[in-house]
Amino acid sequence: MDLEQMLAPLQLVEAAGGSVSGRTKIQKLMFLVQEEGNSGKPFRYVAYDYGPYSKELQNTLNVLVDLNLMEEKPAQGREDSTVYTYQITAPGRQFLAASAADPKVVSRSATVKKVAAWNKRKVDELIDYVYKTYPA
């Protein structure tokens, strides 16, 4: 895992208001940041049950949680499922702030802000948009 892989999800979650609810949602949001931006593609995606999925991104999220840069909070979802909310922590914000001048962070910022607006919408709408805009 490189610095860009650590910074990209932190930057996304921060731009989304500090938290993103749902593994599916964070996967699709990060996919859109990569596809709609011009700052590189730190994660490889494969077609999966609800659209593009990156094992690398999930591994990075796990490491960010282990390093206390992000929290993963489980909550009861519908039909006995668990929904995980990812929240940036104070150390995560400090880490991101210390990297604010990184060229990848700077070039990705406009795309991240645009994509982060999807965080306010339902995950089903996001999945539909990804399927229609980026068919496998």
Side-chain angles (χ1 to χ4, degrees):
M1 170 184 339
D2 63 21
L3 183 62
E4 183 181 6
Q5 287 177 314
M6 292 180 70
L7 289 172
L10 288 171
Q11 189 177 10
L12 172 62
V13 172
E14 179 69 1
S19 70
V20 174
S21 290
R23 289 179 173 166
T24 300
K25 185 176 265 189
I26 201 166
Q27 285 280 342
K28 302 319 163 251
L29 292 173
M30 194 71 242
F31 174 79
L32 289 177
V33 168
Q34 290 191 178
E35 292 301 312
E36 297 186 358
N38 59 1
S39 62
K41 297 183 179 186
F43 303 107
R44 286 182 297 242
Y45 278 84
V46 296
Y48 203 65
D49 293 339
Y50 297 102
Y53 173 81
S54 172
K55 180 71 172 166
E56 291 173 319
L57 173 57
Q58 188 56 55
N59 289 340
T60 298
L61 293 169
N62 294 341
V63 169
L64 292 171
V65 169
D66 290 344
L67 293 173
N68 192 37
L69 299 175
M70 195 175 287
E71 291 180 336
E72 179 187 64
K73 296 181 177 183
Q76 183 67 38
R78 55 186 165 168
E79 298 178 20
D80 294 327
S81 66
T82 302
V83 175
Y84 295 90
T85 297
Y86 293 91
Q87 291 182 306
I88 192 166
T89 61
R93 283 190 174 93
Q94 292 170 345
F95 182 74
L96 187 58
S99 305
D102 181 283
K104 294 282 186 178
V105 171
V106 172
S107 67
R108 190 173 36 242
S109 66
T111 305
V112 166
K113 287 177 186 171
K114 177 181 146 192
V115 169
W118 278 96
N119 192 39
K120 297 176 183 170
R121 308 214 14 217
K122 293 182 180 181
V123 70
D124 294 340
E125 294 176 62
L126 178 58
I127 292 169
D128 287 345
Y129 174 78
V130 169
Y131 273 129
K132 290 176 184 171
T133 309
Y134 302 97

